[in-house]
Amino acid sequence: MKKSRVHNTIRKLRFEHDEMTQQRLADLIGVTRQTVVAIEKEKYSPSLEVAFLIARVFDKPLESVFTFERGLGKEIGKD
């Protein structure tokens, strides 16, 4: 069975926002740069609070920054 994953578009969004650094994003949301790196590389799923803060930094709805893929390989809310 495939493991559930949270996917994100953080890297793309950072570059669309004047090539924002991982450190700058970390400072804006109150976490370490290493945390941003782990979230961006999908090695760590952010807390709901951190996910909302990231979406707010980029002025995007949560669903356009993060998607959730079930263990069975089908994305929730996607047909």
Side-chain angles (χ1 to χ4, degrees), residues 3-40:
K3 186 178 175 186
S4 296
R5 290 195 79 119
V6 174
H7 299 284
N8 69 74
T9 59
I10 296 170
R11 185 171 192 276
K12 175 180 171 261
L13 290 167
R14 283 192 307 102
F15 280 90
E16 290 174 355
H17 284 77
D18 296 325
E19 297 187 14
M20 179 187 293
T21 65
Q22 291 169 329
Q23 184 62 59
R24 177 69 179 141
L25 178 57
D27 292 343
L28 289 170
I29 62 173
V31 300
T32 66
R33 186 187 68 81
Q34 290 82 2
T35 299
V36 170
V37 169
I39 294 169
E40 192 172 292

PDB file of all heavy atoms in Angstrom, residues 3-40:
ATOM      1  N   LYS A   3       2.099   5.020   0.709  1.00  0.00           N
ATOM      2  CA  LYS A   3       1.992   5.927   1.848  1.00  0.00           C
ATOM      3  C   LYS A   3       1.289   7.225   1.435  1.00  0.00           C
ATOM      4  O   LYS A   3       1.475   7.716   0.338  1.00  0.00           O
ATOM      5  CB  LYS A   3       3.400   6.245   2.359  1.00  0.00           C
ATOM      6  CG  LYS A   3       3.420   7.055   3.608  1.00  0.00           C
ATOM      7  CD  LYS A   3       4.843   7.276   4.066  1.00  0.00           C
ATOM      8  CE  LYS A   3       4.836   8.198   5.261  1.00  0.00           C
ATOM      9  NZ  LYS A   3       6.164   8.566   5.685  1.00  0.00           N
ATOM     10  N   SER A   4       0.485   7.772   2.334  1.00  0.00           N
ATOM     11  CA  SER A   4      -0.166   9.062   2.082  1.00  0.00           C
ATOM     12  C   SER A   4       0.887  10.165   2.075  1.00  0.00           C
ATOM     13  O   SER A   4       1.868  10.098   2.808  1.00  0.00           O
ATOM     14  CB  SER A   4      -1.198   9.358   3.168  1.00  0.00           C
ATOM     15  OG  SER A   4      -2.227   8.410   3.131  1.00  0.00           O
ATOM     16  N   ARG A   5       0.664  11.166   1.219  1.00  0.00           N
ATOM     17  CA  ARG A   5       1.625  12.262   1.099  1.00  0.00           C
ATOM     18  C   ARG A   5       0.916  13.599   0.929  1.00  0.00           C
ATOM     19  O   ARG A   5      -0.128  13.671   0.311  1.00  0.00           O
ATOM     20  CB  ARG A   5       2.507  12.054  -0.118  1.00  0.00           C
ATOM     21  CG  ARG A   5       3.467  10.921   0.005  1.00  0.00           C
ATOM     22  CD  ARG A   5       4.479  11.061  -1.075  1.00  0.00           C
ATOM     23  NE  ARG A   5       5.446  12.072  -0.669  1.00  0.00           N
ATOM     24  CZ  ARG A   5       6.728  11.820  -0.512  1.00  0.00           C
ATOM     25  NH1 ARG A   5       7.183  10.623  -0.721  1.00  0.00           N
ATOM     26  NH2 ARG A   5       7.557  12.771  -0.168  1.00  0.00           N
ATOM     27  N   VAL A   6       1.580  14.616   1.443  1.00  0.00           N
ATOM     28  CA  VAL A   6       1.147  15.985   1.206  1.00  0.00           C
ATOM     29  C   VAL A   6       2.117  16.569   0.188  1.00  0.00           C
ATOM     30  O   VAL A   6       3.322  16.606   0.411  1.00  0.00           O
ATOM     31  CB  VAL A   6       1.161  16.822   2.508  1.00  0.00           C
ATOM     32  CG1 VAL A   6       0.859  18.279   2.210  1.00  0.00           C
ATOM     33  CG2 VAL A   6       0.173  16.258   3.514  1.00  0.00           C
ATOM     34  N   HIS A   7       1.590  16.993  -0.956  1.00  0.00           N
ATOM     35  CA  HIS A   7       2.399  17.608  -2.001  1.00  0.00           C
ATOM     36  C   HIS A   7       2.235  19.123  -1.912  1.00  0.00           C
ATOM     37  O   HIS A   7       1.236  19.613  -1.381  1.00  0.00           O
ATOM     38  CB  HIS A   7       1.952  17.129  -3.387  1.00  0.00           C
ATOM     39  CG  HIS A   7       2.087  15.648  -3.553  1.00  0.00           C
ATOM     40  ND1 HIS A   7       3.303  15.028  -3.751  1.00  0.00           N
ATOM     41  CD2 HIS A   7       1.167  14.661  -3.525  1.00  0.00           C
ATOM     42  CE1 HIS A   7       3.121  13.721  -3.861  1.00  0.00           C
ATOM     43  NE2 HIS A   7       1.821  13.477  -3.707  1.00  0.00           N
ATOM     44  N   ASN A   8       3.230  19.850  -2.425  1.00  0.00           N
ATOM     45  CA  ASN A   8       3.130  21.301  -2.353  1.00  0.00           C
ATOM     46  C   ASN A   8       3.777  21.979  -3.555  1.00  0.00           C
ATOM     47  O   ASN A   8       4.527  21.356  -4.296  1.00  0.00           O
ATOM     48  CB  ASN A   8       3.753  21.810  -1.047  1.00  0.00           C
ATOM     49  CG  ASN A   8       5.254  21.633  -1.023  1.00  0.00           C
ATOM     50  OD1 ASN A   8       5.986  22.358  -1.692  1.00  0.00           O
ATOM     51  ND2 ASN A   8       5.737  20.662  -0.256  1.00  0.00           N
ATOM     52  N   THR A   9       3.463  23.261  -3.696  1.00  0.00           N
ATOM     53  CA  THR A   9       4.010  24.084  -4.777  1.00  0.00           C
ATOM     54  C   THR A   9       4.858  25.221  -4.210  1.00  0.00           C
ATOM     55  O   THR A   9       5.006  26.268  -4.846  1.00  0.00           O
ATOM     56  CB  THR A   9       2.865  24.667  -5.635  1.00  0.00           C
ATOM     57  OG1 THR A   9       2.015  25.452  -4.786  1.00  0.00           O
ATOM     58  CG2 THR A   9       2.064  23.589  -6.328  1.00  0.00           C
ATOM     59  N   ILE A  10       5.429  25.015  -3.050  1.00  0.00           N
ATOM     60  CA  ILE A  10       6.159  26.082  -2.360  1.00  0.00           C
ATOM     61  C   ILE A  10       7.341  26.595  -3.180  1.00  0.00           C
ATOM     62  O   ILE A  10       7.527  27.807  -3.312  1.00  0.00           O
ATOM     63  CB  ILE A  10       6.625  25.629  -0.961  1.00  0.00           C
ATOM     64  CG1 ILE A  10       5.407  25.333  -0.082  1.00  0.00           C
ATOM     65  CG2 ILE A  10       7.505  26.680  -0.311  1.00  0.00           C
ATOM     66  CD1 ILE A  10       5.735  24.668   1.227  1.00  0.00           C
ATOM     67  N   ARG A  11       8.136  25.705  -3.730  1.00  0.00           N
ATOM     68  CA  ARG A  11       9.311  26.151  -4.491  1.00  0.00           C
ATOM     69  C   ARG A  11       8.886  27.072  -5.645  1.00  0.00           C
ATOM     70  O   ARG A  11       9.450  28.143  -5.841  1.00  0.00           O
ATOM     71  CB  ARG A  11      10.095  24.955  -5.025  1.00  0.00           C
ATOM     72  CG  ARG A  11      11.389  25.356  -5.705  1.00  0.00           C
ATOM     73  CD  ARG A  11      12.239  24.119  -6.032  1.00  0.00           C
ATOM     74  NE  ARG A  11      13.562  24.498  -6.414  1.00  0.00           N
ATOM     75  CZ  ARG A  11      13.924  24.870  -7.640  1.00  0.00           C
ATOM     76  NH1 ARG A  11      13.023  24.925  -8.604  1.00  0.00           N
ATOM     77  NH2 ARG A  11      15.162  25.195  -7.920  1.00  0.00           N
ATOM     78  N   LYS A  12       7.883  26.645  -6.390  1.00  0.00           N
ATOM     79  CA  LYS A  12       7.371  27.441  -7.512  1.00  0.00           C
ATOM     80  C   LYS A  12       6.871  28.802  -7.021  1.00  0.00           C
ATOM     81  O   LYS A  12       7.181  29.844  -7.611  1.00  0.00           O
ATOM     82  CB  LYS A  12       6.244  26.676  -8.197  1.00  0.00           C
ATOM     83  CG  LYS A  12       5.548  27.419  -9.308  1.00  0.00           C
ATOM     84  CD  LYS A  12       4.449  26.540  -9.901  1.00  0.00           C
ATOM     85  CE  LYS A  12       3.585  27.303 -10.844  1.00  0.00           C
ATOM     86  NZ  LYS A  12       2.347  27.762 -10.268  1.00  0.00           N
ATOM     87  N   LEU A  13       6.124  28.798  -5.932  1.00  0.00           N
ATOM     88  CA  LEU A  13       5.585  30.043  -5.394  1.00  0.00           C
ATOM     89  C   LEU A  13       6.688  30.978  -4.909  1.00  0.00           C
ATOM     90  O   LEU A  13       6.607  32.196  -5.102  1.00  0.00           O
ATOM     91  CB  LEU A  13       4.602  29.752  -4.255  1.00  0.00           C
ATOM     92  CG  LEU A  13       3.289  29.118  -4.693  1.00  0.00           C
ATOM     93  CD1 LEU A  13       2.532  28.580  -3.490  1.00  0.00           C
ATOM     94  CD2 LEU A  13       2.451  30.123  -5.465  1.00  0.00           C
ATOM     95  N   ARG A  14       7.733  30.431  -4.302  1.00  0.00           N
ATOM     96  CA  ARG A  14       8.845  31.277  -3.853  1.00  0.00           C
ATOM     97  C   ARG A  14       9.484  31.996  -5.035  1.00  0.00           C
ATOM     98  O   ARG A  14       9.774  33.186  -4.971  1.00  0.00           O
ATOM     99  CB  ARG A  14       9.911  30.443  -3.133  1.00  0.00           C
ATOM    100  CG  ARG A  14       9.562  30.043  -1.731  1.00  0.00           C
ATOM    101  CD  ARG A  14      10.733  29.485  -0.937  1.00  0.00           C
ATOM    102  NE  ARG A  14      11.455  28.392  -1.565  1.00  0.00           N
ATOM    103  CZ  ARG A  14      12.635  28.517  -2.184  1.00  0.00           C
ATOM    104  NH1 ARG A  14      13.244  29.672  -2.266  1.00  0.00           N
ATOM    105  NH2 ARG A  14      13.221  27.448  -2.721  1.00  0.00           N
ATOM    106  N   PHE A  15       9.683  31.260  -6.125  1.00  0.00           N
ATOM    107  CA  PHE A  15      10.317  31.873  -7.288  1.00  0.00           C
ATOM    108  C   PHE A  15       9.409  32.882  -7.976  1.00  0.00           C
ATOM    109  O   PHE A  15       9.887  33.864  -8.532  1.00  0.00           O
ATOM    110  CB  PHE A  15      10.826  30.800  -8.248  1.00  0.00           C
ATOM    111  CG  PHE A  15      12.138  30.228  -7.780  1.00  0.00           C
ATOM    112  CD1 PHE A  15      12.169  29.137  -6.941  1.00  0.00           C
ATOM    113  CD2 PHE A  15      13.339  30.830  -8.137  1.00  0.00           C
ATOM    114  CE1 PHE A  15      13.371  28.630  -6.466  1.00  0.00           C
ATOM    115  CE2 PHE A  15      14.550  30.331  -7.668  1.00  0.00           C
ATOM    116  CZ  PHE A  15      14.568  29.233  -6.830  1.00  0.00           C
ATOM    117  N   GLU A  16       8.113  32.667  -7.892  1.00  0.00           N
ATOM    118  CA  GLU A  16       7.159  33.636  -8.440  1.00  0.00           C
ATOM    119  C   GLU A  16       7.062  34.899  -7.582  1.00  0.00           C
ATOM    120  O   GLU A  16       6.521  35.898  -8.020  1.00  0.00           O
ATOM    121  CB  GLU A  16       5.772  32.997  -8.567  1.00  0.00           C
ATOM    122  CG  GLU A  16       5.688  31.953  -9.655  1.00  0.00           C
ATOM    123  CD  GLU A  16       4.352  31.232  -9.671  1.00  0.00           C
ATOM    124  OE1 GLU A  16       3.497  31.474  -8.779  1.00  0.00           O
ATOM    125  OE2 GLU A  16       4.161  30.400 -10.576  1.00  0.00           O
ATOM    126  N   HIS A  17       7.565  34.834  -6.374  1.00  0.00           N
ATOM    127  CA  HIS A  17       7.540  35.980  -5.455  1.00  0.00           C
ATOM    128  C   HIS A  17       8.963  36.502  -5.272  1.00  0.00           C
ATOM    129  O   HIS A  17       9.560  36.407  -4.183  1.00  0.00           O
ATOM    130  CB  HIS A  17       6.908  35.577  -4.114  1.00  0.00           C
ATOM    131  CG  HIS A  17       5.431  35.451  -4.179  1.00  0.00           C
ATOM    132  ND1 HIS A  17       4.802  34.361  -4.738  1.00  0.00           N
ATOM    133  CD2 HIS A  17       4.453  36.302  -3.801  1.00  0.00           C
ATOM    134  CE1 HIS A  17       3.497  34.536  -4.679  1.00  0.00           C
ATOM    135  NE2 HIS A  17       3.259  35.718  -4.117  1.00  0.00           N
ATOM    136  N   ASP A  18       9.506  37.033  -6.360  1.00  0.00           N
ATOM    137  CA  ASP A  18      10.843  37.649  -6.344  1.00  0.00           C
ATOM    138  C   ASP A  18      11.935  36.710  -5.842  1.00  0.00           C
ATOM    139  O   ASP A  18      12.849  37.132  -5.127  1.00  0.00           O
ATOM    140  CB  ASP A  18      10.840  38.938  -5.510  1.00  0.00           C
ATOM    141  CG  ASP A  18       9.943  39.999  -6.103  1.00  0.00           C
ATOM    142  OD1 ASP A  18       9.857  40.089  -7.346  1.00  0.00           O
ATOM    143  OD2 ASP A  18       9.309  40.736  -5.319  1.00  0.00           O
ATOM    144  N   GLU A  19      11.812  35.445  -6.196  1.00  0.00           N
ATOM    145  CA  GLU A  19      12.792  34.429  -5.799  1.00  0.00           C
ATOM    146  C   GLU A  19      13.048  34.471  -4.290  1.00  0.00           C
ATOM    147  O   GLU A  19      14.181  34.488  -3.826  1.00  0.00           O
ATOM    148  CB  GLU A  19      14.075  34.578  -6.606  1.00  0.00           C
ATOM    149  CG  GLU A  19      13.834  34.340  -8.087  1.00  0.00           C
ATOM    150  CD  GLU A  19      15.107  34.318  -8.913  1.00  0.00           C
ATOM    151  OE1 GLU A  19      16.213  34.216  -8.354  1.00  0.00           O
ATOM    152  OE2 GLU A  19      14.974  34.390 -10.145  1.00  0.00           O
ATOM    153  N   MET A  20      11.947  34.473  -3.540  1.00  0.00           N
ATOM    154  CA  MET A  20      12.014  34.474  -2.077  1.00  0.00           C
ATOM    155  C   MET A  20      12.893  33.315  -1.608  1.00  0.00           C
ATOM    156  O   MET A  20      12.760  32.194  -2.087  1.00  0.00           O
ATOM    157  CB  MET A  20      10.608  34.327  -1.488  1.00  0.00           C
ATOM    158  CG  MET A  20      10.578  34.296   0.029  1.00  0.00           C
ATOM    159  SD  MET A  20       8.923  33.903   0.675  1.00  0.00           S
ATOM    160  CE  MET A  20       8.009  35.350   0.190  1.00  0.00           C
ATOM    161  N   THR A  21      13.755  33.590  -0.660  1.00  0.00           N
ATOM    162  CA  THR A  21      14.609  32.522  -0.134  1.00  0.00           C
ATOM    163  C   THR A  21      13.834  31.665   0.865  1.00  0.00           C
ATOM    164  O   THR A  21      12.816  32.101   1.426  1.00  0.00           O
ATOM    165  CB  THR A  21      15.850  33.099   0.578  1.00  0.00           C
ATOM    166  OG1 THR A  21      15.415  33.840   1.730  1.00  0.00           O
ATOM    167  CG2 THR A  21      16.673  33.971  -0.356  1.00  0.00           C
ATOM    168  N   GLN A  22      14.347  30.480   1.094  1.00  0.00           N
ATOM    169  CA  GLN A  22      13.750  29.616   2.112  1.00  0.00           C
ATOM    170  C   GLN A  22      13.862  30.277   3.475  1.00  0.00           C
ATOM    171  O   GLN A  22      12.950  30.177   4.293  1.00  0.00           O
ATOM    172  CB  GLN A  22      14.438  28.256   2.106  1.00  0.00           C
ATOM    173  CG  GLN A  22      14.149  27.457   0.858  1.00  0.00           C
ATOM    174  CD  GLN A  22      15.024  26.239   0.727  1.00  0.00           C
ATOM    175  OE1 GLN A  22      16.171  26.218   1.164  1.00  0.00           O
ATOM    176  NE2 GLN A  22      14.484  25.203   0.095  1.00  0.00           N
ATOM    177  N   GLN A  23      14.975  30.975   3.718  1.00  0.00           N
ATOM    178  CA  GLN A  23      15.147  31.661   4.997  1.00  0.00           C
ATOM    179  C   GLN A  23      14.108  32.748   5.188  1.00  0.00           C
ATOM    180  O   GLN A  23      13.546  32.900   6.275  1.00  0.00           O
ATOM    181  CB  GLN A  23      16.556  32.255   5.106  1.00  0.00           C
ATOM    182  CG  GLN A  23      16.828  32.897   6.467  1.00  0.00           C
ATOM    183  CD  GLN A  23      16.756  31.888   7.598  1.00  0.00           C
ATOM    184  OE1 GLN A  23      17.495  30.910   7.599  1.00  0.00           O
ATOM    185  NE2 GLN A  23      15.857  32.095   8.555  1.00  0.00           N
ATOM    186  N   ARG A  24      13.818  33.517   4.138  1.00  0.00           N
ATOM    187  CA  ARG A  24      12.817  34.589   4.236  1.00  0.00           C
ATOM    188  C   ARG A  24      11.441  34.013   4.550  1.00  0.00           C
ATOM    189  O   ARG A  24      10.720  34.522   5.411  1.00  0.00           O
ATOM    190  CB  ARG A  24      12.772  35.395   2.927  1.00  0.00           C
ATOM    191  CG  ARG A  24      11.724  36.484   2.914  1.00  0.00           C
ATOM    192  CD  ARG A  24      12.062  37.606   3.870  1.00  0.00           C
ATOM    193  NE  ARG A  24      11.025  38.637   3.793  1.00  0.00           N
ATOM    194  CZ  ARG A  24      10.563  39.292   4.842  1.00  0.00           C
ATOM    195  NH1 ARG A  24      11.056  39.076   6.046  1.00  0.00           N
ATOM    196  NH2 ARG A  24       9.613  40.192   4.701  1.00  0.00           N
ATOM    197  N   LEU A  25      11.080  32.931   3.862  1.00  0.00           N
ATOM    198  CA  LEU A  25       9.798  32.278   4.139  1.00  0.00           C
ATOM    199  C   LEU A  25       9.767  31.781   5.581  1.00  0.00           C
ATOM    200  O   LEU A  25       8.783  31.975   6.299  1.00  0.00           O
ATOM    201  CB  LEU A  25       9.539  31.127   3.160  1.00  0.00           C
ATOM    202  CG  LEU A  25       8.256  30.339   3.378  1.00  0.00           C
ATOM    203  CD1 LEU A  25       7.024  31.240   3.339  1.00  0.00           C
ATOM    204  CD2 LEU A  25       8.139  29.221   2.347  1.00  0.00           C
ATOM    205  N   ALA A  26      10.842  31.164   6.018  1.00  0.00           N
ATOM    206  CA  ALA A  26      10.923  30.666   7.399  1.00  0.00           C
ATOM    207  C   ALA A  26      10.721  31.802   8.397  1.00  0.00           C
ATOM    208  O   ALA A  26       9.967  31.660   9.370  1.00  0.00           O
ATOM    209  CB  ALA A  26      12.270  29.979   7.628  1.00  0.00           C
ATOM    210  N   ASP A  27      11.373  32.938   8.143  1.00  0.00           N
ATOM    211  CA  ASP A  27      11.222  34.091   9.036  1.00  0.00           C
ATOM    212  C   ASP A  27       9.782  34.591   9.070  1.00  0.00           C
ATOM    213  O   ASP A  27       9.269  34.941  10.134  1.00  0.00           O
ATOM    214  CB  ASP A  27      12.150  35.230   8.594  1.00  0.00           C
ATOM    215  CG  ASP A  27      13.631  34.910   8.790  1.00  0.00           C
ATOM    216  OD1 ASP A  27      13.959  33.969   9.539  1.00  0.00           O
ATOM    217  OD2 ASP A  27      14.451  35.614   8.167  1.00  0.00           O
ATOM    218  N   LEU A  28       9.135  34.620   7.910  1.00  0.00           N
ATOM    219  CA  LEU A  28       7.759  35.116   7.833  1.00  0.00           C
ATOM    220  C   LEU A  28       6.759  34.228   8.567  1.00  0.00           C
ATOM    221  O   LEU A  28       5.751  34.719   9.084  1.00  0.00           O
ATOM    222  CB  LEU A  28       7.333  35.262   6.369  1.00  0.00           C
ATOM    223  CG  LEU A  28       7.986  36.411   5.599  1.00  0.00           C
ATOM    224  CD1 LEU A  28       7.677  36.290   4.105  1.00  0.00           C
ATOM    225  CD2 LEU A  28       7.508  37.755   6.136  1.00  0.00           C
ATOM    226  N   ILE A  29       7.027  32.917   8.600  1.00  0.00           N
ATOM    227  CA  ILE A  29       6.060  32.009   9.231  1.00  0.00           C
ATOM    228  C   ILE A  29       6.512  31.507  10.605  1.00  0.00           C
ATOM    229  O   ILE A  29       5.788  30.766  11.257  1.00  0.00           O
ATOM    230  CB  ILE A  29       5.713  30.820   8.303  1.00  0.00           C
ATOM    231  CG1 ILE A  29       6.943  29.960   8.006  1.00  0.00           C
ATOM    232  CG2 ILE A  29       5.067  31.318   7.018  1.00  0.00           C
ATOM    233  CD1 ILE A  29       6.641  28.689   7.250  1.00  0.00           C
ATOM    234  N   GLY A  30       7.712  31.889  11.027  1.00  0.00           N
ATOM    235  CA  GLY A  30       8.161  31.566  12.382  1.00  0.00           C
ATOM    236  C   GLY A  30       8.681  30.154  12.580  1.00  0.00           C
ATOM    237  O   GLY A  30       8.477  29.572  13.645  1.00  0.00           O
ATOM    238  N   VAL A  31       9.336  29.610  11.556  1.00  0.00           N
ATOM    239  CA  VAL A  31       9.969  28.286  11.673  1.00  0.00           C
ATOM    240  C   VAL A  31      11.412  28.404  11.212  1.00  0.00           C
ATOM    241  O   VAL A  31      11.850  29.458  10.754  1.00  0.00           O
ATOM    242  CB  VAL A  31       9.225  27.208  10.840  1.00  0.00           C
ATOM    243  CG1 VAL A  31       7.788  27.052  11.302  1.00  0.00           C
ATOM    244  CG2 VAL A  31       9.290  27.500   9.358  1.00  0.00           C
ATOM    245  N   THR A  32      12.167  27.328  11.311  1.00  0.00           N
ATOM    246  CA  THR A  32      13.546  27.342  10.842  1.00  0.00           C
ATOM    247  C   THR A  32      13.611  27.105   9.333  1.00  0.00           C
ATOM    248  O   THR A  32      12.661  26.573   8.740  1.00  0.00           O
ATOM    249  CB  THR A  32      14.389  26.250  11.528  1.00  0.00           C
ATOM    250  OG1 THR A  32      13.888  24.970  11.124  1.00  0.00           O
ATOM    251  CG2 THR A  32      14.352  26.378  13.045  1.00  0.00           C
ATOM    252  N   ARG A  33      14.727  27.498   8.738  1.00  0.00           N
ATOM    253  CA  ARG A  33      14.928  27.243   7.310  1.00  0.00           C
ATOM    254  C   ARG A  33      14.908  25.744   7.038  1.00  0.00           C
ATOM    255  O   ARG A  33      14.374  25.290   6.031  1.00  0.00           O
ATOM    256  CB  ARG A  33      16.255  27.842   6.829  1.00  0.00           C
ATOM    257  CG  ARG A  33      16.442  27.716   5.313  1.00  0.00           C
ATOM    258  CD  ARG A  33      17.814  28.155   4.854  1.00  0.00           C
ATOM    259  NE  ARG A  33      18.859  27.276   5.308  1.00  0.00           N
ATOM    260  CZ  ARG A  33      19.173  26.117   4.723  1.00  0.00           C
ATOM    261  NH1 ARG A  33      18.528  25.701   3.653  1.00  0.00           N
ATOM    262  NH2 ARG A  33      20.133  25.370   5.206  1.00  0.00           N
ATOM    263  N   GLN A  34      15.449  24.951   7.961  1.00  0.00           N
ATOM    264  CA  GLN A  34      15.459  23.504   7.793  1.00  0.00           C
ATOM    265  C   GLN A  34      14.043  22.934   7.729  1.00  0.00           C
ATOM    266  O   GLN A  34      13.786  21.983   6.997  1.00  0.00           O
ATOM    267  CB  GLN A  34      16.255  22.822   8.925  1.00  0.00           C
ATOM    268  CG  GLN A  34      17.739  23.077   8.853  1.00  0.00           C
ATOM    269  CD  GLN A  34      18.170  24.418   9.452  1.00  0.00           C
ATOM    270  OE1 GLN A  34      17.360  25.188   9.980  1.00  0.00           O
ATOM    271  NE2 GLN A  34      19.454  24.718   9.350  1.00  0.00           N
ATOM    272  N   THR A  35      13.126  23.531   8.473  1.00  0.00           N
ATOM    273  CA  THR A  35      11.723  23.102   8.418  1.00  0.00           C
ATOM    274  C   THR A  35      11.132  23.404   7.052  1.00  0.00           C
ATOM    275  O   THR A  35      10.452  22.556   6.460  1.00  0.00           O
ATOM    276  CB  THR A  35      10.900  23.781   9.534  1.00  0.00           C
ATOM    277  OG1 THR A  35      11.440  23.394  10.800  1.00  0.00           O
ATOM    278  CG2 THR A  35       9.436  23.389   9.458  1.00  0.00           C
ATOM    279  N   VAL A  36      11.401  24.597   6.534  1.00  0.00           N
ATOM    280  CA  VAL A  36      10.911  24.946   5.191  1.00  0.00           C
ATOM    281  C   VAL A  36      11.488  23.983   4.157  1.00  0.00           C
ATOM    282  O   VAL A  36      10.764  23.495   3.280  1.00  0.00           O
ATOM    283  CB  VAL A  36      11.244  26.410   4.836  1.00  0.00           C
ATOM    284  CG1 VAL A  36      10.956  26.696   3.364  1.00  0.00           C
ATOM    285  CG2 VAL A  36      10.456  27.366   5.725  1.00  0.00           C
ATOM    286  N   VAL A  37      12.777  23.682   4.252  1.00  0.00           N
ATOM    287  CA  VAL A  37      13.419  22.748   3.319  1.00  0.00           C
ATOM    288  C   VAL A  37      12.712  21.396   3.364  1.00  0.00           C
ATOM    289  O   VAL A  37      12.370  20.817   2.325  1.00  0.00           O
ATOM    290  CB  VAL A  37      14.927  22.580   3.637  1.00  0.00           C
ATOM    291  CG1 VAL A  37      15.530  21.421   2.853  1.00  0.00           C
ATOM    292  CG2 VAL A  37      15.681  23.862   3.353  1.00  0.00           C
ATOM    293  N   ALA A  38      12.464  20.878   4.562  1.00  0.00           N
ATOM    294  CA  ALA A  38      11.827  19.564   4.710  1.00  0.00           C
ATOM    295  C   ALA A  38      10.403  19.559   4.164  1.00  0.00           C
ATOM    296  O   ALA A  38       9.989  18.594   3.508  1.00  0.00           O
ATOM    297  CB  ALA A  38      11.834  19.143   6.182  1.00  0.00           C
ATOM    298  N   ILE A  39       9.650  20.636   4.397  1.00  0.00           N
ATOM    299  CA  ILE A  39       8.286  20.721   3.876  1.00  0.00           C
ATOM    300  C   ILE A  39       8.326  20.794   2.349  1.00  0.00           C
ATOM    301  O   ILE A  39       7.601  20.076   1.664  1.00  0.00           O
ATOM    302  CB  ILE A  39       7.538  21.938   4.463  1.00  0.00           C
ATOM    303  CG1 ILE A  39       7.318  21.757   5.966  1.00  0.00           C
ATOM    304  CG2 ILE A  39       6.202  22.141   3.751  1.00  0.00           C
ATOM    305  CD1 ILE A  39       6.835  23.017   6.678  1.00  0.00           C
ATOM    306  N   GLU A  40       9.189  21.667   1.831  1.00  0.00           N
ATOM    307  CA  GLU A  40       9.282  21.871   0.386  1.00  0.00           C
ATOM    308  C   GLU A  40       9.674  20.577  -0.338  1.00  0.00           C
ATOM    309  O   GLU A  40       9.170  20.277  -1.413  1.00  0.00           O
ATOM    310  CB  GLU A  40      10.308  22.964   0.113  1.00  0.00           C
ATOM    311  CG  GLU A  40      10.311  23.473  -1.293  1.00  0.00           C
ATOM    312  CD  GLU A  40      11.214  24.678  -1.461  1.00  0.00           C
ATOM    313  OE1 GLU A  40      10.895  25.756  -0.901  1.00  0.00           O
ATOM    314  OE2 GLU A  40      12.242  24.540  -2.154  1.00  0.00           O
TER     315      GLU A  40
END
